[in-house]
Structure formats: C-alpha cells, structure tokens
Amino acid sequence: MAWDFSTEPEFQEQLDWVSEFCRTEVEPLELVFPGAPYSRDPKAKALADPLKQQVRDRGLWALFLDKDLGGPGFGQLKLALLNEILGRYRSAPVVFGTQAPDTGNMEILAAYGTPEQKDKWLDPLMRQDMFSAYSMTEPQGGSDPTMFRTRAVRDGDEWVINGEKWFTSGGSHAVIIVMCVNGMFVVPRDTPGVEIMSYPQVHNHIRYTDVRVPAGNLLGPEDGARVLAQRRLGGGRIHHAMRTVAQVRLAFDMMCERALSRESHGRVIAEHQMVQEAIADSYAELNMLRLLVLWTAWTIDNSSTQAARTQIAACKYTCARVLREVSYRALHVLGSLGTTNLTPLQAMFAGSPTMAIADGVDEVHKVTVARNVLKGYSPQEGLWPTEYIPARREAARKKYAGLIAADPDLAAWADMAERSITRRA
Ligand SMILES: Cc1cc2nc3c(=O)[nH]c(=O)nc-3n(C[C@H](O)[C@H](O)[C@H](O)COP(=O)(O)OP(=O)(O)OC[C@H]3O[C@@H](n4cnc5c(N)ncnc54)[C@H](O)[C@@H]3O)c2cc1C
C-alpha cells in the first residue's frame, strides 16, 4: 500500500529530540539573548556554537541540500517534518543551518556554482562563516521582472554592475547574490560602489554604482538569471511554507489551551459553540495546509522542484491565508491578552500580510496555478458542458438500447429515470 502518512521510527526519534532541544535550549537562548545565533560577537558565539555543534553531532545540520547537490540527502519530506518544529522558534532555523535566505542562495550555488565559487562561498555559507542575501526586487517593480533594470556590462576580465535594489534582506552584513537582467552575480558587500541606504533596516535598499566584480563572479550562464531565480525562489518558498505550518500549529495550540482555561458566562469558553467553530475551522485549515505542504515536498523528492511548481505556488498563497485566519481566531479567543505583545499571536497575525507579499505577491502565484491547471483542460465540444446530463443519458441509453428494447420493465425504469430529471429541470 503506497499511501502512508507515518514517519519512520528512527526519524521520529530525531524529531522528538529536536522538539525537546528547541524547547529546552533554543527558546531560552532566544528569549534571553535574541539574535545570538546570527552574531559574530565572541560572547554570542560561545552561547550559540555549542548548540549548533549538537545539531551537527545528531546529523541534522543543513538538511535542505539533497545528495546530488552535496547535502545529506534527507529529502524535502523529512525537512518539512523538521521545519514543522523549527518554525515555532525564531532562531531555530539558524541553529540548524536551514535559515532563509541562505538556503535558497546555497541551493543555486550548489546547482550552478563552479568549483571555485563553491570553495569561496558555498562552503563558508554551509559552515555559517558568512551569511548571504538575495538582491532581486527593485524600487520601481517587484512582481514584474520585465521592469528590472540592474545590468552588468563586461569590461575585460570584469563585470561592471549598475542599478538599484530594494528589500535585499540582510544585505548589510552578507555576500550578496545580485540578479541583473543579463545574469546572476555574486557581489561581496564591501565591494566599492555598493551603497547601503539607512532604511529600511534589515530589508536593505542598495545602490550599485560601477560595481566591479571579477568575471568568475557570474553565477550560471550569461542571461540565465531568470532560470536561476526560479530555482532559487521555488526552494525558498516551500521552506517558508514548511515553517508556516509550525506557526499555524502554534497559534492553534494556544487557542485550544486558552479555550479550556478561560471561563465566561458560567462555563469554560471551549463550551461556547462559536469558540468550537473557531477551533473546528482552524483544525481543518491547519491540516489542509500541512498536507498540501507535505504532498509538495513528496513531489519534489519523487520528481523535481520544477515538477512541483504549481503545488509550490499553491502553498505560497495558502500559507498566508491560513496563517492570517488561524492567528486571528487564536488572538480573538485570547481576548485582550491576544492583542498585546505578551504572546506570539499579535506578531504572527501582523506578519501574515508580509507573507502574502514576500517571495512574490499572492496574485502572481494564483495566476501561475490557474494557468498551469488549465493546461490539463480543453474547452467543451459544442454547445453544452461535457457533464450535461441529458446528452450523457442519451449516450448511456444507446449502450443499453438492446436491453431496453427487449425488456419492458427495464424500459419503464429507464423512462422513469429520464422523466425524473426532466421534471426536476
Ligand atoms: C519581509 C520581506 C522580505 C523580502 N526580502 C526580499 C529579498 O531578500 N530579496 C528581494 O529581492 N526581495 C525581497 N522582498 C521583496 C519581495 O520579493 C517583493 O515585495 C515582491 O516581489 C512584490 O513586489 P513589490 O513589493 O514591488 O509589489 P508590487 O509588484 O508593486 O505589487 C503590489 C501589489 O500590486 C498587485 N499586483 C502586482 N502584480 C499583480 C498581478 N500580476 N496580478 C494582480 N495583482 C498584482 C498586488 O495587489 C500586489 O500586492 C521582500 C519583501 C518583504 C515584504
């Protein structure tokens, strides 16, 4: 029987360890020393590095890279199960070496990088000796790549890049992968001509003025930027979706706990039917999202990221919607407490519109899904839909014409079936 929703016991053991480790080690670190796992500060490293080492010792470091790209080859399905835990904690992905945007950047370095590029950037990224950023969106256009203008011009052994990017997350402290209209380039942050504006913080506005990089910094083929971008963004989106399942689960858990803990109008609020409706709807939406994400991960493992393109796009916009709906209901069930920053719910709900924009706005992904799905359909032949019952019945009667002609009882039965439809119509 091929349909199987179980997790193999050895991996379940690992997942149990991850849950416990995140609760007892990662969460305390992030509550008391936020940002420590990203920091280069020796005191922060002394706190975070031993946790990263424990992850390595368990064989759980940087699980996102498949075997053909030099990774451990656990596959996306196992990564999805792992991310269902890591996504609950802000800094868990970096403690496990699976943080965005590095995962997507490493994936294209692994897939398209030359041996020199891998030595120079992939290996240090894998070790977290450096972090990376991805510079694609431009101030004048994000959703429509035909509006991008940043361009590289070849000059001897170098490329000279000019343009302006915006929302390059983490660009101020990273090696940057810059998408030009004519190719993808690796640009170290301290290259002359890279100017990082003071705002927005974190998601940087960057001007590239006569930025010179060696010819060897071209990643993939000349004019191959769009293909690389698809590969990079596809992987990144499914990883976000996996972590969103964790966030939705956290909101759901909080809603259920509170529903059983709080009383109003003479009973625990879990006994009010509208609270039950919030729980029931959220349960169904959480599991629909989860199964969509796991099915997509399974498709990637059994086929390819390209083959899962439609599913990844569906995950992208479903994540944002389910996170918004479930975190809103949970916040509501927690009442005034839910509106404060004393629980994770307010930030989760406030973050849901971001999720519908980052990595491509939902509308664009819906268009992708609709277009791809429609490739499997054809227009109806003639005036009526294929499922037009009178036409199908007429065809069916021809199949039984011999029986109907030979047996008056069967003829009466068939006529009655026909009349019942005709009457209803
Ligand atoms: C937190 C965060 C982190 C990000 N990190 C990065 C990063 O690291 N690197 C990077 O390069 N970019 C990054 N981005 C940018 C992100 O990729 C863009 O915001 C996104 O592609 C949308 O572009 P835009 O913001 O210019 O919106 P626009 O393209 O201006 O779209 C605005 C609105 O127009 C409508 N719209 C646009 N196109 C269509 C359409 N085809 N059909 C229907 N309606 C449409 C939608 O309502 C949409 O929400 C990040 C964004 C956020 C919010």
Side-chain angles (χ1 to χ4, degrees):
M1 178 65 191
W3 288 89
D4 186 350
F5 293 89
S6 62
T7 307
E8 58 194 52
E10 301 78 39
F11 195 65
Q12 186 58 52
E13 249 181 60
Q14 291 276 45
L15 295 175
D16 294 343
W17 177 83
V18 173
S19 291
E20 180 66 13
F21 176 73
C22 285
R23 198 63 168 161
T24 56
E25 301 292 343
V26 176
E27 188 185 53
L29 183 68
E30 82 182 15
L31 286 174
V32 183
F33 304 109
Y38 284 97
S39 177
R40 293 264 156 269
D41 179 274
K43 285 188 179 161
K45 281 174 74 62
L47 290 165
D49 285 359
L51 302 192
K52 294 178 186 176
Q53 191 54 49
Q54 283 193 60
V55 172
R56 287 191 178 93
D57 294 345
R58 295 283 307 197
L60 292 171
W61 181 257
L63 282 196
F64 65 96
L65 273 188
D66 285 336
K67 260 206 176 96
D68 59 328
L69 296 179
F74 270 70
Q76 298 299 309
L77 192 57
K78 282 186 171 159
L79 180 64
L81 296 170
L82 181 77
N83 274 332
E84 282 184 4
I85 304 167
L86 304 190
R88 281 174 94 103
Y89 307 92
R90 203 178 163 76
S91 55
V94 72
V95 173
F96 280 74
T98 57
Q99 71 286 354
D102 294 315
T103 48
N105 294 338
M106 285 191 259
E107 196 176 325
I108 50 172
L109 276 166
Y112 296 96
T114 60
E116 294 75 35
Q117 290 172 338
K118 289 181 186 173
D119 277 354
K120 217 164 163 185
W121 296 299
L122 180 61
D123 295 347
L125 280 170
M126 286 289 274
R127 292 193 302 269
Q128 282 187 1
D129 288 342
M130 60 169 70
F131 290 105
S132 63
Y134 183 63
S135 205
M136 178 186 75
T137 306
E138 302 194 0
Q140 76 283 356
S143 302
D144 180 359
T146 64
M147 295 175 73
F148 296 166
R149 295 188 202 126
T150 303
R151 180 174 286 280
V153 175
R154 185 73 189 242
D155 183 18
D157 285 345
E158 292 180 323
W159 287 94
V160 185
I161 299 171
N162 275 289
E164 195 163 339
K165 295 286 183 180
W166 150 265
F167 265 84
T168 299
S169 301
S172 59
H173 62 276
V175 62
I176 308 169
I177 296 185
V178 182
M179 180 180 176
C180 294
V181 291
N182 55 334
M184 200 74 90
F185 293 86
V186 185
V187 179
R189 183 248 168 282
D190 52 7
T191 311
V194 175
E195 184 189 356
I196 303 202
M197 311 297 152
S198 54
Y199 63 89
Q201 291 178 344
V202 184
H203 308 293
N204 303 115
H205 185 172
I206 305 180
R207 203 167 282 143
Y208 299 90
T209 310
D210 292 331
V211 173
R212 288 184 170 269
V213 292
N217 286 29
L218 171 67
L219 182 57
E222 204 177 324
D223 291 322
R226 284 188 80 159
V227 176
L228 266 70
Q230 279 312 326
R231 170 88 186 238
R232 194 217 164 277
L233 294 167
R237 282 175 193 133
I238 186 64
H239 298 157
H240 272 311
M242 294 167 181
R243 287 186 290 264
T244 306
V245 173
Q247 291 279 299
V248 176
R249 177 87 216 192
L250 177 58
F252 181 70
D253 290 349
M254 291 179 63
M255 173 167 31
C256 293
E257 183 191 74
R258 185 69 167 182
L260 290 170
S261 313
R262 186 85 169 166
E263 287 187 18
S264 166
H265 293 82
R267 59 176 79 164
V268 73
I269 60 172
E271 286 173 16
H272 292 296
Q273 284 192 345
M274 280 191 249
V275 174
Q276 291 171 348
E277 185 185 44
I279 292 169
D281 286 346
S282 301
Y283 171 81
E285 287 165 21
L286 163 62
N287 284 300
M288 285 192 289
L289 173 65
R290 180 171 188 247
L291 290 175
L292 177 63
V293 170
L294 292 174
W295 173 51
T296 304
W298 179 90
T299 305
I300 296 171
D301 284 348
N302 286 281
S303 194
S304 65
T305 306
Q306 179 60 21
R309 230 180 122 215
T310 308
Q311 289 155 267
I312 292 173
C315 287
K316 165 67 183 60
Y317 56 77
T318 307
C319 270
R321 183 175 58 74
V322 173
L323 181 67
R324 185 187 67 226
E325 296 297 321
V326 177
S327 64
Y328 173 74
R329 289 187 204 116
L331 184 156
H332 193 72
V333 166
L334 264 76
S336 51
L337 177 61
T339 68
T340 69
N341 60 2
L342 300 175
T343 79
L345 287 172
Q346 190 209 45
M348 227 185 265
F349 178 59
S352 62
T354 301
M355 188 152 283
I357 291 172
D359 270 347
V361 298
D362 282 359
E363 287 91 333
V364 171
H365 293 286
K366 288 181 179 177
V367 168
T368 301
V369 168
R371 280 197 184 137
N372 289 353
V373 165
L374 286 172
K375 284 179 194 156
Y377 290 85
S378 320
Q380 68 193 29
E381 282 177 24
L383 182 59
W384 304 109
T386 307
E387 298 305 324
Y388 185 60
I389 291 174
R392 295 191 80 80
R393 183 187 306 275
E394 199 180 314
R397 277 188 75 114
K398 279 185 192 144
K399 177 177 163 75
Y400 293 111
L403 279 177
I404 289 170
D407 186 328
D409 288 342
L410 290 179
W413 189 357
D415 287 348
M416 195 172 66
E418 188 154 347
R419 275 201 307 277
S420 69
I421 288 285
T422 319
R423 232 184 284 128
R424 239 183 269 141

